[in-house]
Amino acid sequence: MNQDTIDRIRRFTEDRDWDQFHSPENLAKSIVIESAELLECFQWNGKDYDLDHVKEELADVIVYTQNLLDKLELDPDEIVNMKMEQNEKKYPVEKAKGNAAKYDQL
Amino acid sequence: MNQDTIDRIRRFTEDRDWDQFHSPENLAKSIVIESAELLECFQWNGKDYDLDHVKEELADVIVYTQNLLDKLELDPDEIVNMKMEQNEKKYPVEKAKGNAAKYDQL
Amino acid sequence: MNQDTIDRIRRFTEDRDWDQFHSPENLAKSIVIESAELLECFQWNGKDYDLDHVKEELADVIVYTQNLLDKLELDPDEIVNMKMEQNEKKYPVEKAKGNAAKYDQL
Amino acid sequence: MNQDTIDRIRRFTEDRDWDQFHSPENLAKSIVIESAELLECFQWNGKDYDLDHVKEELADVIVYTQNLLDKLELDPDEIVNMKMEQNEKKYPVEKAKGNAAKYDQL
């Protein structure tokens, strides 16, 4: 996301004095709650989803994810690169190619 | 995230030929699954969490979120700004300040 | 479940002195965490699931559900019948038959 | 639950011809979705929850759990006792007493 969008998310919380509710635990709960609402778009049918609804719920997941990054003062590039390094080792191309098995079953 | 990180996420999927598993539905399931693993860091205690573990699980949520954005060809700035506009209306500052109630109970 | 199974679940908690961790909130988190593990059995493929794994994860959901019923001193027959009465009204047979739409879209 | 309640749940599905939507995968999604709604009762505050709302969401979890047991023709007593046997071994009383650590950290 660009800086303007991130600033808008931060200002929203600040203006409402909601930082007090944003414990890491509450934000983790919120991310699950919103991602389950995203999943609900695909509850009975994985194909005919309402794209506008998907966009809204996915946006909610992204907003709470940003809130948690902010709360813990984490840099998304840093943590994602750290995790991608692990993933690249756990799923070597020659074993994982075209295979959805979990790493411990490759 | 910066473009390098996003490219790394995309290359990871491409190199393993995993796009075939990345239906929007499967990615929505994956986001819930990873956010529940994030929540597990706070399962019995909201205070004494293992920050390194939190970073890993949060990174997984971000990676699958990026995968879903890619799959649906969505721009995070566009969908988040659209949602923030809704949120700003649903939670007017004068009513929502310091209040964690849901919008329909404000 | 029969009374013996319920008693076994209760004794397990009691013997370990775990009631102190079983706040309604922590149990609600636990039910989500276990149901996401259940969903993981179907993450990339809805058809070829490992039935033994499904049984284990489903059992975990049932155990935490029983823990929450116990903690809140709720009778499952009472709350389920109350909810089924609502559901039967929200989804009248003539409208809902063969239709997976949500009640507000019937 | 007693047999009357279980029969009511089954009749509800049958009368609406909804068995066609009840794949194990869809029911697993549904259990997560409902347990996230249950968690929402505790989103910002673990203490001041609306008990009537908790009852409704917990009932939804129980109903979909019963649907999945039915779909897979599983006996809850059998799978729960199997899992409790595992749990009793993974969490021996002398190590786990008063300790919420995960079994691999006991």
Side-chain angles (χ1 to χ4, degrees):
Chain A
M1 286 192 291
N2 62 43
Q3 196 54 45
D4 277 357
T5 311
I6 295 178
D7 287 344
R8 187 174 188 171
I9 294 175
R10 289 176 180 162
R11 214 167 37 242
F12 182 82
T13 301
E14 236 174 80
D15 286 350
R16 282 155 192 76
D17 202 11
W18 278 1
D19 184 66
Q20 58 183 311
F21 306 119
H22 285 192
S23 65
E25 179 190 13
N26 286 354
L27 292 171
K29 284 186 267 172
S30 302
I31 295 172
V32 179
I33 291 166
E34 296 302 334
S35 47
E37 292 185 8
L38 172 63
L39 183 64
E40 202 183 349
C41 299
F42 306 95
Q43 184 172 12
W44 302 114
N45 186 321
K47 303 262 155 65
D48 294 326
Y49 47 87
D50 173 344
L51 184 59
D52 283 331
H53 196 186
V54 169
K55 285 180 188 178
E56 288 179 14
E57 301 301 347
L58 182 55
D60 281 333
V61 172
I62 295 171
V63 169
Y64 279 125
T65 299
Q66 183 61 48
N67 289 154
L68 185 50
L69 288 167
D70 284 344
K71 188 67 187 192
L72 297 173
E73 300 185 346
L74 298 174
D75 172 12
D77 289 296
E78 196 194 307
I79 66 169
V80 168
N81 276 297
M82 218 164 49
K83 194 55 175 38
M84 290 308 293
E85 209 167 306
Q86 292 181 23
N87 289 351
E88 287 158 6
K89 279 184 198 148
K90 266 160 77 172
Y91 296 96
V93 173
E94 61 278 13
K95 283 194 179 174
K97 195 159 186 170
N99 187 343
K102 224 179 160 171
Y103 67 95
D104 52 8
Q105 283 157 21
L106 277 181
Chain B
M1 285 191 293
N2 62 44
Q3 195 55 44
D4 276 358
T5 313
I6 295 179
D7 287 345
R8 188 173 187 172
I9 294 175
R10 289 176 180 162
R11 213 167 40 240
F12 182 82
T13 301
E14 236 174 79
D15 285 351
R16 283 154 192 77
D17 201 11
W18 279 1
D19 184 66
Q20 57 183 311
F21 306 120
H22 283 193
S23 65
E25 179 189 14
N26 286 354
L27 292 171
K29 284 185 266 173
S30 302
I31 295 171
V32 179
I33 291 166
E34 296 302 333
S35 46
E37 292 184 8
L38 173 62
L39 183 64
E40 202 182 350
C41 300
F42 307 95
Q43 185 172 13
W44 302 115
N45 186 320
K47 303 263 153 67
D48 293 328
Y49 47 86
D50 172 343
L51 185 59
D52 283 332
H53 196 187
V54 170
K55 285 181 189 179
E56 288 179 16
E57 301 301 346
L58 183 54
D60 281 333
V61 172
I62 294 172
V63 169
Y64 280 126
T65 299
Q66 183 61 47
N67 288 155
L68 184 51
L69 288 167
D70 285 345
K71 188 66 186 193
L72 297 174
E73 300 185 346
L74 297 175
D75 173 12
D77 289 296
E78 195 193 309
I79 66 170
V80 168
N81 276 296
M82 216 163 51
K83 195 54 177 34
M84 289 309 292
E85 210 167 306
Q86 291 179 24
N87 290 350
E88 286 158 6
K89 279 183 197 148
K90 266 161 76 173
Y91 295 96
V93 173
E94 61 279 12
K95 284 195 180 173
K97 196 160 185 169
N99 187 342
K102 223 181 160 174
Y103 67 94
D104 53 7
Q105 283 157 22
L106 279 181
Chain C
M1 284 191 293
N2 62 43
Q3 196 55 44
D4 277 357
T5 311
I6 295 178
D7 286 345
R8 188 174 189 173
I9 294 175
R10 290 177 180 161
R11 213 168 37 242
F12 181 82
T13 301
E14 237 173 80
D15 285 350
R16 284 156 191 75
D17 201 11
W18 279 0
D19 184 65
Q20 56 182 313
F21 307 119
H22 285 191
S23 65
E25 179 189 12
N26 286 355
L27 293 170
K29 283 185 267 173
S30 303
I31 295 172
V32 179
I33 291 166
E34 295 302 334
S35 45
E37 292 184 8
L38 172 63
L39 183 64
E40 202 182 350
C41 299
F42 307 95
Q43 184 173 11
W44 302 115
N45 186 320
K47 303 263 153 64
D48 293 328
Y49 47 87
D50 172 344
L51 185 59
D52 283 331
H53 196 188
V54 169
K55 284 181 189 178
E56 287 179 15
E57 302 300 346
L58 183 54
D60 281 332
V61 172
I62 295 172
V63 169
Y64 279 126
T65 299
Q66 183 61 47
N67 288 156
L68 185 51
L69 288 168
D70 284 344
K71 188 66 185 192
L72 296 174
E73 300 185 345
L74 297 174
D75 173 11
D77 289 296
E78 196 194 308
I79 66 169
V80 168
N81 276 296
M82 218 164 49
K83 194 54 175 40
M84 290 309 292
E85 211 167 304
Q86 291 180 23
N87 290 350
E88 287 158 8
K89 279 183 197 148
K90 266 160 77 172
Y91 295 96
V93 174
E94 61 279 12
K95 283 195 180 173
K97 196 160 186 169
N99 187 343
K102 224 181 159 173
Y103 68 94
D104 53 7
Q105 283 157 20
L106 278 180
Chain D
M1 285 191 292
N2 62 44
Q3 196 55 45
D4 277 357
T5 311
I6 295 177
D7 287 345
R8 188 174 187 171
I9 294 174
R10 290 176 180 163
R11 214 168 39 240
F12 182 83
T13 301
E14 236 174 80
D15 286 350
R16 282 155 192 76
D17 201 11
W18 279 1
D19 184 65
Q20 58 182 312
F21 307 118
H22 284 193
S23 66
E25 179 190 13
N26 286 354
L27 292 170
K29 284 185 266 172
S30 301
I31 295 172
V32 179
I33 291 166
E34 295 302 333
S35 47
E37 293 185 8
L38 172 62
L39 183 64
E40 202 183 349
C41 299
F42 306 94
Q43 185 172 12
W44 302 114
N45 187 321
K47 303 262 153 66
D48 293 327
Y49 47 86
D50 173 344
L51 185 59
D52 283 332
H53 196 186
V54 170
K55 285 181 188 178
E56 287 179 15
E57 302 301 347
L58 183 54
D60 281 333
V61 172
I62 295 171
V63 169
Y64 279 126
T65 299
Q66 183 61 47
N67 289 155
L68 184 51
L69 288 167
D70 285 345
K71 188 67 187 193
L72 297 173
E73 299 185 347
L74 298 175
D75 173 11
D77 289 296
E78 196 194 308
I79 65 169
V80 168
N81 277 296
M82 218 163 50
K83 194 55 177 33
M84 289 308 293
E85 210 167 305
Q86 292 180 22
N87 290 350
E88 286 158 8
K89 280 183 197 148
K90 266 160 75 171
Y91 296 95
V93 174
E94 61 280 12
K95 284 195 180 174
K97 196 161 187 168
N99 187 343
K102 223 180 160 174
Y103 68 94
D104 53 9
Q105 284 156 21
L106 278 181

